[in-house]
Amino acid sequence: MMEQALSCVLLADRHHGLTEGVRGLLETTFGTVVMVADETSLLDGASRLKPDVAVVDLSLAKDRSLGWLRALRSAVPASR
């Protein structure tokens, strides 16, 4: 049985240069690659796009808590 192709990845990191480089690599595999640079944009984008994969800098949160991670898992439970 063939595995379904992944269509969307969400990249979240404050370092635009790093994210651009990773995006360039992932564009050959994913139909859509979206970059965000803050916690709010991550959660909004995830809710809207329902990405197959989210690559997130764990230090993205302003208050250093991981509450956003629970919110992300709630918004897109099937995302890896």
Side-chain angles (χ1 to χ4, degrees), residues 5-77:
L6 299 173
S7 63
C8 183
V9 66
L10 182 60
L11 301 175
D13 196 315
R14 285 189 184 91
H15 303 97
H16 184 74
L18 176 67
T19 310
E20 274 290 331
V22 173
R23 184 185 81 175
L25 296 170
L26 294 176
E27 285 179 326
T28 61
T29 304
F30 292 89
T32 304
V33 179
V34 177
M35 300 183 327
V36 297
D38 61 69
E39 181 181 355
T40 302
S41 298
L42 168 65
L43 296 175
D44 290 346
S47 294
R48 220 171 4 92
L49 299 168
K50 305 293 186 209
D52 298 298
V53 176
V55 179
V56 181
D57 178 1
L58 293 179
S59 68
L60 194 65
K62 292 173 241 164
D63 63 2
R64 300 290 187 227
S65 75
L66 294 180
W68 61 267
L69 186 55
R70 283 187 291 281
L72 180 64
R73 290 311 263 161
S74 177
V76 283

Side-chain angles (χ1 to χ4, degrees), residues 1-7 29 52 80:
M1 183 163 77
M2 272 185 90
E3 188 175 320
Q4 183 178 354
L6 299 173
S7 63
T29 304
D52 298 298
R80 296 182 225 159

